[in-house]
Amino acid sequence: MITMNSHSNDIDYSNGYMEPEEEWEREGLLDPAWEKQQKKTFTAWCNSHLRKAGTAIENIEEDFRNGLKLMLLLEVISGETLPKPDRGKMRFHKIANVNKALDFIASKGVKLVSIGAEEIVDGNLKMTLGMIWTIILRFAIQDISVEEMTAKEGLLLWCQRKTAPYKNVNVQNFHLSFKDGLAFCALIHRHRPDLIDYHKLSKDNPLQNLNTAFDVAEKYLDIPRMLDPEDLINTPKPDERAIMTYVSCYYHAFQGAQQAETAANRICKVLKVNQENERLMEEYERLASDLLEWIRRTLPWLQSRQADNSLSGVQKRLEEYRTYRRKHKPPRVEQKAKLETNFNTLQTKLRLSNRPAYMPTEGKMVSDIANAWKGLEQSEKSFEDWLLSEMMRLERLEHLAQKFKAKADTHEDWTRGKEEMLQSSDFRQCKLNDLKALKKKHEAFESDLAAHQDRVEQIAAIAHELNTLEYHDSTSVNIRCQRICDQWDRLGSLTQKRRTDLDDAEKILEKIDILHLEFAKRAAPFNNWLDGTREDLVDMFIVHTVEEIQGLIDAHGQFKATLSDADKEYNSIIGLVKDVESTVQKYQIPGGLQNPYTTLTSSDLSKKWSEVKHLVPQRDTTLQAELRKQQNNEMLRRQFAEKSNQVGPWIERQMDAVTAIGMGLQGSLEDQLHQLKQYEQNVYAYKPHIEELEKIHQAVQEGMIFENRYTQYTMETLRVGWEQLLTSINRNVNEVENQILTRDSKGITQEQLNEFRASFNHFDKNRTGRLAPEEFKSCLVSIGYSIGKDRQGEIDFQRILAVVDPNSTGYVHFDAFLDFMTRESTDTDTAEQVIDSFRILAGDKPYILSDELRRELPPDQAEYCIQRMAPYKGVNAVPGALDYMSFSTALYGESDL
């Protein structure tokens, strides 16, 4: 039964009867102003629903008399089907239809007393309005509940909250509070500020305010005009039921908007996560492609062994390599570290947002980049080794080439004019003594020729070695060597022929000057020794250690010890010349001073002997200079060793410290992050030591120093250690930041995190940062997980392992362990929640339209959905329909990237 309470106008469904008609009069239902307002409002309310069925009423007390539109109204507002109406036009048919409507109202928990079908059929306005008010209360107001208040109180509280921020609005009831129209305008502006400029409204112009609100509501909110502004203004106390009916339409209109707004916000949140993840994926792909492309372009240069076969060309390539190490590679080291950091951050975000792990494009995995980087470093090492070995080879080539030139110059100087001399027929005009002299002279020449055989062989041997070592100008060396050898062969032939000629004339020419012959025989080898000694004294040398140059100095000292014997031989040979001069002067022999057996003279020997004695101290100076150079090289070795023996252990200590911090053993995550940042600053502040070491290393290389017995460290190992230290710091910083992100997003406390870390570290005996399955099981048991030892316990554990080690690597890392320990308590968006949100925006349709997405979502996110949603293929699909269900599911499935 419905009881009308005179104080609140609420319907009490607990009483068992309807108040008599006198109560209706006390309620003012018969007041002409109220009756007029109710009739207009209730008629508009009924039509707002009947239009959905393609009909309407004009006169509320007449159009419901046959019960047909009354039954239709109830079907529309309830969504249920009433019994089939009687189509007859007799009075009993009409009563039957109205009774079917009243029975349906009663079936919804409303007991109707004093409202009978006859009154409705007879067109009783008061009863008809009372019945419609009952329907409005049951189907439009009863379900309104704010903070578990009654329908009227809930609706009033909703109005008060929505209009609280607005000036000149104070909603206390459903009659006087709405007379000036500002409350209606405030409700509209609060939900749709684009429809009304509230600041231009005035409390002194209620008619304009009411017309503005009613016009906007009808045009943009699909709420028909249910009240007459003039009636409201001119009535001292407007009808409360009429205003409640009208306000309830506002509530229902904006309730849908609020649901749509909530749904849109949830969708925006999910889409922003996806868009950010896709941006990070695209950035990773771009950085990975760029780094791999740079490595691909760099490798051929490092693997190339082409050079112009000259020392200057190799030195140029070595300088290019140093520039590469100083300028081109360091930014790529940072890029590689950033790649790893971005990848770890992305995987953490995907895990926290309940998305699948990101799988990079084939060939761009972190492992692929690491392998490519390793190949790059191996190529660098082999390239640098090749450059240094090539410098050694070319330096020796240059030394051999200069030695070849010096010996060839000496030999060609000696052979100059020899062919003409051997081809001369001078002996045919000589007297016997002259002929004998010519023969002796030729014998001396043969002795000299034999002495020069060794030099020719040395020249040929040097040329052969230059060819073997691929000297860049070997062609000209071969031509000159061939010319010398050909000439040597001709000299041999000519010498043999001249000897034969002289032998044929020997019978005629017999007498010979013994003294001249003796001079010729002794002067020739001594002269040859002088030539060889001069060559040795000016000979170039190449050494790499103090011991080697000391060996040369010792050998030179031994040579100087033999000079006294050579001086005696020189004086003895010169004594022969003096004897000749004495004999000629004594016996006045014409032409006797001319030695017929040799072209050598005492002045030649004296000149060469003087030159040798002059070259000896010069050789001393050269050797001492080289000794100082090797001593300087030794100093460079010690400098490099001293510095590297400081830098190497320092890098190792920093690595150990960073590893310890990464194990989570030193305070909170923020403390660890601060310490890591501090270590990072310290490492960059230490960089001048590395640069100083690089300078020393460059001086070592320029000094052609290829070994260092004072240290186990090389520049290459220190570079790798430095880069590994930077990478380790960046990686640990990234891991700690991801742990902070996990901790904050999952809502776990620092104490919980410390407990997780302590448990993990306890079972990570080797400090590898990972646990084997049995260690992981023990760790779970230690923090309270109950894992049985039976078959079911093993099944449960294997299920957990599949979560924390999805790739079956055989190990559990701390990030996966932390994610597992916090995952169950996380309130994350799900595909089902996103589908429900889209369903609200679509008005419960199984599909959504582009216009609806553009209306409810920001432009960029609306277009994001439109471009990615597949066409809807279900039943009742319309042109342009989009499938939001498959789209929502895909958001939590495999990524396109």
Side-chain angles (χ1 to χ4, degrees):
M1 169 194 258
I2 298 178
T3 302
M4 309 302 285
N5 187 299
S6 60
H7 300 290
S8 66
N9 283 347
D10 283 344
I11 293 180
D12 185 352
Y13 291 96
S14 61
N15 294 336
Y17 64 93
M18 167 78 74
E19 294 292 340
E21 186 172 336
E22 288 76 12
E23 179 64 19
W24 289 82
E25 293 176 355
R26 287 198 305 272
E27 286 283 30
L29 187 59
L30 299 180
D31 184 302
W34 287 12
E35 181 180 284
K36 178 181 178 183
Q37 292 172 10
Q38 286 187 18
K39 183 176 179 180
K40 178 178 178 62
T41 302
F42 292 176
T43 299
W45 184 87
C46 291
N47 284 335
S48 70
H49 294 284
L50 286 173
R51 66 182 178 180
K52 299 174 184 176
T55 187
I57 62 172
E58 296 181 1
N59 193 325
I60 195 168
E61 67 268 28
E62 292 294 331
D63 292 349
F64 286 139
R65 290 178 64 182
N66 62 5
L68 295 177
K69 290 189 177 181
L70 180 59
M71 293 177 70
L72 183 60
L73 173 66
L74 291 172
E75 286 185 341
V76 171
I77 63 177
S78 68
E80 300 179 25
T81 302
L82 274 66
K84 188 175 181 180
D86 293 351
R87 293 299 179 182
K89 296 183 179 181
M90 303 298 290
R91 176 178 174 80
F92 73 88
H93 291 125
K94 298 178 182 179
I95 292 175
N97 289 337
V98 174
N99 274 326
K100 290 177 182 179
L102 296 179
D103 289 343
F104 179 78
I105 296 173
S107 71
K108 298 303 179 182
V110 181
K111 296 181 179 180
L112 298 169
V113 179
S114 299
I115 298 181
E118 290 82 358
E119 288 85 352
I120 306 302
V121 172
D122 291 339
N124 187 315
L125 178 60
K126 291 182 286 294
M127 289 300 176
T128 300
L129 292 176
M131 178 190 65
I132 297 301
W133 173 242
T134 300
I135 294 172
I136 292 172
L137 282 174
R138 173 60 184 83
F139 292 101
I141 300 178
Q142 177 186 344
D143 292 335
I144 298 175
S145 177
V146 179
E147 297 184 357
E148 300 182 356
M149 301 177 115
T150 64
K152 177 182 177 181
E153 292 171 338
L155 184 60
L156 185 64
L157 179 59
W158 178 80
C159 292
Q160 289 172 342
R161 286 181 175 177
K162 295 298 182 180
T163 60
Y166 291 88
K167 183 179 179 182
N168 296 326
V169 178
N170 184 17
V171 177
Q172 297 297 326
N173 49 56
F174 287 111
H175 39 76
L176 298 179
S177 297
F178 286 84
K179 279 191 67 173
D180 59 11
L182 289 178
F184 287 110
C185 292
L187 286 175
I188 296 174
H189 185 270
R190 181 64 181 272
H191 296 90
R192 291 291 302 276
D194 56 309
L195 299 180
I196 291 179
D197 188 350
Y198 183 84
H199 302 291
K200 292 184 178 181
L201 302 177
S202 172
K203 189 175 181 68
D204 298 330
N205 200 343
L207 182 61
Q208 179 183 344
N209 298 339
L210 290 167
N211 278 317
T212 297
F214 296 169
D215 290 343
V216 169
E218 185 170 38
K219 183 176 181 180
Y220 296 102
L221 304 178
D222 201 25
I223 301 175
R225 182 183 284 257
M226 297 184 181
L227 295 171
D228 186 358
E230 288 79 2
D231 289 345
L232 286 179
I233 293 173
N234 296 327
T235 303
K237 181 180 179 183
D239 180 58
E240 194 171 43
R241 294 173 184 168
I243 293 179
M244 280 185 66
T245 300
Y246 196 21
V247 171
S248 70
C249 294
Y250 283 73
Y251 174 86
H252 289 295
F254 292 134
Q255 184 186 37
Q258 289 176 329
Q259 291 177 346
E261 181 180 356
T262 301
N265 288 338
R266 178 180 291 276
I267 292 170
C268 289
K269 173 186 172 185
V270 172
L271 293 181
K272 284 180 179 177
V273 171
N274 253 52
Q275 288 172 313
E276 174 62 16
N277 290 342
E278 289 185 4
R279 185 191 67 77
L280 288 175
M281 293 177 193
E282 291 169 356
E283 182 178 4
Y284 175 85
E285 292 283 333
R286 179 180 59 77
L287 288 176
S289 298
D290 181 61
L291 182 58
L292 290 172
E293 175 62 20
W294 176 79
I295 293 175
R296 185 192 67 77
R297 294 195 312 269
T298 304
L299 281 178
W301 176 69
L302 291 174
Q303 294 167 351
S304 172
R305 298 298 182 264
Q306 297 296 322
D308 59 3
N309 213 18
S310 67
L311 186 61
S312 60
V314 175
Q315 289 173 337
K316 180 180 178 182
R317 293 203 67 177
L318 181 60
E319 187 58 37
E320 291 173 352
Y321 177 70
R322 289 169 179 157
T323 301
Y324 158 80
R325 291 290 317 192
R326 290 194 302 267
K327 296 182 179 179
H328 300 303
K329 189 182 178 186
R332 298 299 178 172
V333 174
E334 296 177 6
Q335 183 178 358
K336 177 175 175 288
K338 183 179 180 183
L339 258 177
E340 295 179 1
T341 299
N342 287 2
F343 182 82
N344 293 336
T345 300
L346 173 60
Q347 297 293 40
T348 299
K349 288 188 174 183
L350 289 172
R351 188 171 65 250
L352 295 179
S353 59
N354 202 22
R355 268 59 165 190
Y358 164 54
M359 183 64 65
T361 304
E362 183 178 358
K364 297 179 184 176
M365 299 285 290
V366 173
S367 59
D368 296 326
I369 294 172
N371 290 335
W373 191 263
K374 183 178 179 182
L376 177 73
E377 292 178 333
Q378 291 173 346
S379 295
E380 290 175 352
K381 180 65 170 63
S382 63
F383 184 61
E384 187 173 19
D385 291 344
W386 173 76
L387 284 174
L388 295 178
S389 65
E390 191 70 1
M391 284 187 65
M392 293 177 63
R393 182 181 72 84
L394 293 174
E395 187 178 52
R396 173 165 176 76
L397 276 179
E398 291 294 328
H399 168 68
L400 288 174
Q402 293 180 26
K403 189 171 184 179
F404 173 83
K405 181 178 181 303
K407 287 186 176 295
D409 288 345
T410 301
H411 177 76
E412 288 174 347
D413 286 342
W414 177 83
T415 60
R416 190 173 292 112
K418 293 295 190 293
E419 289 188 61
E420 292 77 4
M421 181 269 293
L422 291 174
Q423 292 173 338
S424 174
S425 300
D426 54 348
F427 64 90
R428 296 188 184 278
Q429 288 80 33
C430 290
K431 296 178 180 181
L432 179 61
N433 289 338
D434 294 333
L435 181 60
K436 288 184 178 291
L438 284 177
K439 185 176 179 181
K440 296 299 182 181
K441 181 180 179 182
H442 187 69
E443 289 175 355
F445 173 76
E446 286 181 322
S447 177
D448 198 9
L449 185 68
H452 280 78
Q453 176 69 35
D454 182 58
R455 180 182 292 112
V456 174
E457 291 175 353
Q458 289 179 5
I459 290 172
I462 294 173
H464 177 72
E465 187 172 1
L466 287 171
N467 278 278
T468 302
L469 296 177
E470 300 178 354
Y471 179 57
H472 70 93
D473 196 17
S474 59
T475 300
S476 62
V477 170
N478 291 336
I479 292 173
R480 189 172 188 184
C481 179
Q482 188 62 47
R483 185 171 66 245
I484 290 173
C485 291
D486 293 342
Q487 184 189 41
W488 186 255
D489 291 338
R490 290 195 305 273
L491 287 175
S493 299
L494 292 173
T495 300
Q496 185 64 37
K497 183 178 180 299
R498 185 173 179 82
R499 180 174 182 81
T500 301
D501 293 340
L502 290 175
D503 285 343
D504 291 340
E506 186 177 9
K507 294 178 182 179
I508 304 170
L509 304 175
E510 295 176 349
K511 193 176 182 177
I512 193 166
D513 190 340
I514 299 302
L515 198 57
H516 278 308
L517 179 60
E518 180 70 12
F519 174 84
K521 287 183 177 181
R522 294 178 64 181
F526 187 71
N527 178 69
N528 190 56
W529 176 84
L530 287 173
D531 288 341
T533 298
R534 284 191 304 164
E535 291 181 16
D536 291 339
L537 289 174
V538 297
D539 187 24
M540 291 167 291
F541 54 85
I542 179 170
V543 294
H544 296 98
T545 65
V546 174
E547 290 77 6
E548 290 177 355
I549 187 61
Q550 190 61 54
L552 292 180
I553 292 174
D554 294 343
H556 185 61
Q558 295 173 3
F559 163 73
K560 289 193 294 183
T562 66
L563 289 179
S564 60
D565 292 337
D567 187 61
K568 292 178 181 179
E569 177 66 10
Y570 167 75
N571 290 327
S572 177
I573 294 173
I574 294 301
L576 293 175
V577 176
K578 290 181 178 180
D579 288 345
V580 170
E581 292 174 348
S582 175
T583 300
V584 169
Q585 184 178 5
K586 181 177 180 180
Y587 297 102
Q588 296 296 313
I589 301 173
L593 293 178
Q594 298 296 322
N595 193 325
Y597 308 117
T598 180
T599 60
L600 290 175
T601 65
S602 60
S603 62
D604 292 335
L605 296 180
S606 297
K607 179 180 179 181
K608 291 182 179 181
W609 178 246
S610 176
E611 185 178 355
V612 166
K613 290 194 293 182
H614 179 70
L615 287 174
V616 168
Q618 289 185 354
R619 185 70 167 181
D620 285 330
T621 302
T622 302
L623 291 172
Q624 290 301 318
E626 183 62 28
L627 176 62
R628 289 192 295 273
K629 175 185 174 183
Q630 292 303 324
Q631 289 172 340
N632 181 66
N633 287 353
E634 189 73 2
M635 179 190 69
L636 286 175
R637 289 189 183 94
R638 294 180 183 275
Q639 285 181 349
F640 181 84
E642 180 183 1
K643 192 66 178 179
S644 62
N645 289 338
Q646 295 173 1
V647 172
W650 185 88
I651 291 176
E652 293 164 0
R653 290 195 300 274
Q654 304 309 301
M655 285 290 290
D656 293 341
V658 170
T659 301
I661 295 175
M663 296 300 295
L665 304 175
Q666 303 184 16
S668 66
L669 289 178
E670 285 74 9
D671 294 337
Q672 297 171 31
L673 185 60
H674 175 73
Q675 293 177 34
L676 287 171
K677 295 287 187 181
Q678 188 63 47
Y679 271 102
E680 185 176 29
Q681 293 178 3
N682 293 342
V683 168
Y684 280 111
Y686 198 76
K687 190 173 182 181
H689 294 279
I690 299 294
E691 293 172 346
E692 179 183 353
L693 202 54
E694 286 282 6
K695 293 179 181 178
I696 298 174
H697 179 63
Q698 180 173 345
V700 166
Q701 285 188 329
E702 291 171 350
M704 303 301 292
I705 301 171
F706 303 107
E707 47 79 29
N708 193 337
R709 61 182 178 274
Y710 301 114
T711 179
Q712 62 177 341
Y713 296 102
T714 66
M715 196 65 234
E716 181 63 27
T717 59
L718 293 176
R719 289 171 186 154
V720 172
W722 177 259
E723 293 173 0
Q724 288 177 345
L725 176 58
L726 290 176
T727 301
S728 177
I729 292 175
N730 288 329
R731 184 181 297 115
N732 278 280
V733 167
N734 178 245
E735 290 177 357
V736 173
E737 288 175 341
N738 286 340
Q739 290 174 24
I740 292 174
L741 182 62
T742 301
R743 181 196 67 192
D744 295 342
S745 63
K746 300 291 186 178
I748 62 176
T749 64
Q750 182 64 44
E751 290 72 18
Q752 289 175 307
L753 188 62
N754 291 342
E755 179 184 358
F756 295 156
R757 172 55 85 176
S759 300
F760 189 90
N761 288 346
H762 176 75
F763 293 96
D764 182 14
K765 305 296 185 183
N766 297 327
R767 294 297 182 262
T768 61
R770 62 188 187 183
L771 300 180
E774 288 304 317
E775 294 172 333
F776 176 58
K777 180 186 289 186
S778 300
C779 183
L780 290 178
V781 173
S782 73
I783 57 178
Y785 260 81
S786 177
I787 300 178
K789 297 183 178 180
D790 54 4
R791 182 172 179 274
Q792 183 58 45
E794 182 60 25
I795 292 174
D796 293 340
F797 179 65
Q798 292 300 323
R799 176 183 57 79
I800 296 174
L801 264 185
V803 173
V804 297
D805 183 21
N807 296 322
S808 301
T809 63
Y811 294 100
V812 179
H813 293 269
F814 181 72
D815 285 348
F817 170 71
L818 177 61
D819 182 59
F820 170 76
M821 294 304 299
T822 57
R823 182 178 298 171
E824 299 301 326
S825 61
T826 305
D827 181 18
T828 58
D829 293 309
T830 64
E832 291 75 15
Q833 291 173 326
V834 177
I835 290 174
D836 290 341
S837 298
F838 273 118
R839 184 179 289 113
I840 292 173
L841 299 187
D844 287 331
K845 299 191 299 296
Y847 58 84
I848 194 166
L849 300 176
S850 300
D851 291 342
E852 292 171 332
L853 288 170
R854 291 189 175 102
R855 182 178 67 245
E856 301 294 347
L857 299 179
D860 60 333
Q861 296 190 340
E863 295 305 320
Y864 179 85
C865 294
I866 294 169
Q867 292 174 8
R868 287 165 172 75
M869 282 187 182
Y872 177 73
K873 303 296 185 181
V875 181
N876 300 325
V878 301
L882 300 174
D883 186 355
Y884 60 78
M885 294 187 184
S886 64
F887 172 76
S888 301
T889 303
L891 289 177
Y892 295 85
E894 292 297 330
S895 168
D896 291 339
L897 292 178

